[in-house]
Amino acid sequence: MLLAAGVSPAAANGFSVAFVDAFKSACIPQRLSYQGTVDHARSDGWAGFDVASHPEFDAVMKLSAKGLEEAKAEGLAVAFQYEAFAKTVSDRPLHLIVSLGESEYLDEIGCYLYDFDAETPIVANDVSGALGIKPAQSMETAELSGHVWGPPPSMPRTLDTYLTYIPKGSPNVEAAGFDGVVLKFTTSAPDEEGQ
């Protein structure tokens, strides 16, 4: 869906570094463990909250549940659990999902950081600095800004990283369930023997 790199850089965003630092702090240290990431997020100042109390977060999770039901109908059963958190960073309310999806093919630990109030994209170079690699794909239009990084060599088992910004009024809001920014990655969970 994303076009090859070669696009104009996102507008300057003074909050960008703080946002990416919050992702690094919450998502990277215990990325090989669902429970480890949940416990680490709590120790990092993230507090659990009622998803239904936040309309956009609730919409995102309902879309996720719908996707799981569609996958099940197509014969792919996925056991899914998650913890939802909130934290104020540089006077901005951020929201975090830590998830575990288990199937016969792959168990994935997900970490998703949302800024539902964002009015500008996060700077892709800030994410590149955190991962140690450049985006594999990028696109920037008036309706969507998106970047994808491949698996970072410095983080074995971590898969692609996605950064997406959907502005208010974009036709993509309905499909995504929110406007604002999300930065996310998933990690292939080691098996019981740590392989």
Side-chain angles (χ1 to χ4, degrees):
M1 291 190 340
L2 298 182
L3 304 177
V7 297
S8 59
N13 180 346
F15 180 66
S16 183
V17 171
F19 180 85
V20 174
D21 282 349
F23 180 84
K24 286 166 51 180
S25 181
C27 296
I28 292 177
Q30 293 292 322
R31 64 191 172 77
L32 295 174
S33 166
Y34 169 70
Q35 191 60 51
T37 301
V38 167
D39 293 344
H40 176 75
R42 292 193 179 107
S43 71
D44 197 35
W46 292 89
F49 80 105
D50 178 9
V51 170
S53 69
H54 191 290
E56 286 184 293
F57 207 128
D58 189 42
V60 167
M61 297 316 298
K62 284 179 178 175
L63 284 171
S64 176
K66 181 181 177 183
L68 289 170
E69 287 300 315
E70 290 172 351
K72 184 177 179 181
E74 294 174 2
L76 177 60
V78 179
F80 185 76
Q81 59 181 305
Y82 71 91
E83 293 278 351
F85 299 96
K87 181 180 179 180
T88 299
V89 175
S90 298
D91 298 323
R92 295 276 283 275
L94 301 184
H95 294 83
L96 181 75
I97 297 173
V98 180
S99 67
L100 176 62
E102 297 175 290
S103 73
E104 62 179 303
Y105 303 106
L106 180 68
D107 295 345
E108 287 186 296
I109 302 154
C111 204
Y112 305 70
L113 181 61
Y114 292 88
D115 180 359
F116 294 113
D117 295 334
E119 296 183 353
T120 56
I122 292 300
V123 179
N125 281 345
D126 293 336
V127 179
S128 293
L131 299 175
I133 54 175
K134 295 180 179 180
Q137 295 180 326
S138 296
M139 70 176 292
E140 293 190 28
T141 71
E143 298 175 346
L144 177 73
S145 171
H147 306 274
V148 181
W149 290 259
S154 62
M155 301 180 204
R157 304 191 73 91
T158 292
L159 307 174
D160 291 347
T161 299
Y162 297 86
L163 173 65
T164 305
Y165 168 65
I166 304 173
K168 285 179 170 52
S170 168
N172 296 292
V173 171
E174 182 176 357
F178 75 99
D179 57 62
V181 165
V182 60
L183 176 59
K184 62 184 181 179
F185 67 30
T186 56
T187 297
S188 171
D191 60 26
E192 292 181 0
E193 288 75 37
Q195 300 298 314

